[in-house]
């Protein structure tokens, strides 16, 4: 009897076709958590704030890139928690579109369930991983992808928490257009 091959963490997160190189297990879990958070919040798409929230909850590499340490991380998580319970930032049930890329419906190959900005961040993360010679796209690559778009929701949360985005973009090695 032949046992089926278990799906990869990437396949379970629903992202195999989105990135090359494939994502590492930790990043697949970040994405799966962001997907659950979006569904729980009643949002139609994973956006960069969902991704940021999941990154900050689980990835120590992301924490190390922040200058303010624990206090800054606490402020960031506070903004994100406010959003998830319906206070503070008013994005719930609205599609994220920073204008950096066309809306999903206008994109050939747009990915249902992903905001244009979140998809762009993941694609940039894959490019960063390839540039660094990594076999897999990791969580810190996605963080750099979020930071690279100063108009996305994730960047807005970072700014509101007092994060210097220009300095953070420099620390991640991503040239941001600020």
């Amino acid at each position: 009897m032949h046992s089926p091959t278990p799906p990869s963490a990437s396949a379970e997160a629903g992202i195999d076709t989105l990135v090359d190189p494939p994502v590492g297990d930790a990043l697949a879990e970040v994405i799966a958590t962001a997907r659950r958070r979006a569904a729980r919040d009643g949002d139609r798409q994973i956006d960069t704030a969902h991704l940021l929230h999941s990154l900050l909850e689980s990835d120590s590499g992301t924490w190390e890139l922040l200058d303010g340490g624990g206090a800054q991380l606490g402020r960031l998580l506070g903004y994100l928690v406010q959003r998830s319970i319906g206070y503070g930032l008013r994005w719930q049930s609205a599609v994220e579109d920073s204008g950096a890329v066309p809306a999903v419906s206008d994109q050939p190959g747009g990915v249902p369930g992903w905001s244009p900005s979140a998809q762009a961040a993941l694609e940039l993360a894959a490019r960063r991983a390839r540039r660094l010679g990594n076999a897999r796209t990791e969580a810190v690559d996605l963080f750099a992808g979020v930071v690279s778009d100063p108009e996305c929701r994730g960047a807005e949360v970072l700014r509101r928490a007092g994060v210097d985005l220009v300095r953070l973009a420099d620390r991640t090695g991503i040239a941001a257009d600020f």
Side-chain angles (χ1 to χ4, degrees):
M1 176 181 254
H2 180 340
S3 298
T5 304
S8 69
S10 297
E12 287 182 10
I15 53 171
D16 271 344
T17 61
L18 291 180
V19 275
D20 175 35
V23 302
D25 289 343
L27 179 53
E29 182 57 35
V30 163
I31 292 169
T33 300
R35 183 179 309 285
R36 286 189 298 272
R37 178 169 282 112
R40 184 189 65 229
D41 291 350
D43 294 329
R44 295 181 293 159
Q45 297 180 329
I46 297 171
D47 65 28
T48 57
H50 294 122
L51 294 171
L52 178 64
H53 197 160
S54 296
L55 285 163
L56 293 173
E57 282 183 337
S58 64
D59 185 59
S60 61
T62 299
W63 306 337
E64 292 169 6
L65 289 169
L66 297 170
D67 284 335
Q72 198 167 65
L73 182 60
R75 280 192 306 277
L76 285 165
L77 288 171
Y79 282 119
L80 291 162
V81 167
Q82 284 180 353
R83 177 205 185 202
S84 69
I85 61 174
Y87 300 110
L89 304 174
R90 302 283 183 219
W91 300 317
Q92 202 161 10
S93 298
V95 174
E96 173 185 39
D97 184 7
S98 71
V101 292
V104 171
S105 60
D106 299 336
Q107 290 181 28
V111 181
W114 286 74
S115 76
S117 296
Q119 182 180 347
L122 189 59
E123 291 168 354
L124 191 130
R127 287 195 304 273
R128 181 182 189 266
R130 280 193 302 273
R131 180 174 48 86
L132 296 173
N134 297 330
R136 296 199 174 279
T137 305
E138 299 297 343
V140 71
D141 300 315
L142 181 57
F143 184 60
V146 169
V147 169
S148 72
D149 180 357
E151 300 304 317
C152 75
R153 291 178 181 170
E156 183 178 341
V157 169
L158 290 164
R159 268 193 309 278
R160 286 183 181 221
V163 174
D164 180 340
L165 288 178
V166 173
R167 183 177 166 120
L168 184 56
D170 186 51
R171 290 173 63 115
T172 64
I174 295 293
D177 181 22
F178 291 98

